[in-house]
Amino acid sequence: MRFPAGVLAGLLLLTGTGASHAVVRIANDRGGPIAYYIERYEKLRAERQSVVIDGLCASACTIVLATIASDDICVTSKARLAFHAAWDFGRNGRTFTDRGATRMLYSMYPSPIQQWLDRRGGLTPRTVFLQGKELHGMYRECELDPRPSATR
């Protein structure tokens, strides 16, 4: 799940809600290497940070659902999750579906996400989107926060 560096730029905004508990806002994250996201979200979990999904969270970004407790995740009306099979580059420089990484990724997701994916054929090279009523049926809606966000 690699993307060119320019595409990797996801926008995470940090809003302070206290010194020991912060909120990370995912607004436009197109994903990247799986290991990077696992490490990033494990760190957020250890720091007891909550996550607001407020826009696109694609590819490896969706690992947030596997790492952060569902009670610590909320979604806005703009939240849009994009899922697909894991891929990598072969020796010839062409991409290929990495079946082992895809199985690992799928196994990490909570059961409701796995069931949703199963109804759509699982994780395949084709991207499927979870948003709107279906997403709001799985994760709580964020309460509006009038405080300005700082860029992280």
Side-chain angles (χ1 to χ4, degrees):
M1 287 192 170
R2 297 181 185 161
F3 290 91
V7 178
L8 274 177
L11 179 62
L12 289 178
L13 298 175
L14 180 67
T15 58
T17 58
S20 64
H21 191 79
V23 176
V24 173
R25 186 175 304 271
I26 299 173
N28 186 23
D29 191 324
R30 297 184 180 271
I34 290 173
Y36 170 78
Y37 282 84
I38 291 172
E39 182 178 327
R40 169 197 265 176
Y41 295 139
E42 285 179 349
K43 183 176 179 182
L44 292 180
R45 182 180 61 209
E47 294 172 353
R48 300 182 41 93
Q49 294 190 25
S50 296
V51 173
V52 172
I53 302 176
D54 188 30
L56 180 66
C57 176
S59 194
C61 175
T62 63
I63 292 171
V64 69
L65 306 176
T67 312
I68 303 297
S70 62
D71 290 346
D72 291 331
I73 297 173
C74 71
V75 295
T76 71
S77 61
K78 295 185 283 183
R80 186 173 191 217
L81 304 175
F83 300 87
H84 62 79
W87 58 271
D88 207 342
F89 291 100
R91 292 183 190 167
N92 60 5
R94 293 185 182 169
T95 60
F96 69 94
T97 299
D98 185 329
R99 292 180 189 198
T102 298
R103 281 191 299 274
M104 178 197 71
L105 187 58
Y106 175 87
S107 72
M108 293 172 64
Y109 290 130
S111 180
I113 297 297
Q114 289 178 351
Q115 292 168 6
W116 182 86
L117 287 167
D118 290 344
R119 291 190 298 271
R120 281 146 190 83
L123 288 173
T124 68
R126 180 180 54 88
T127 302
V128 293
F129 295 91
L130 175 58
Q131 59 191 355
K133 288 181 182 180
E134 286 184 296
L135 179 58
H136 288 272
M138 294 182 203
Y139 293 90
R140 68 183 167 85
E141 189 163 353
C142 301
E143 295 178 20
L144 295 176
D145 185 355
R147 291 176 293 188
S149 300
T151 303
R152 181 175 189 189

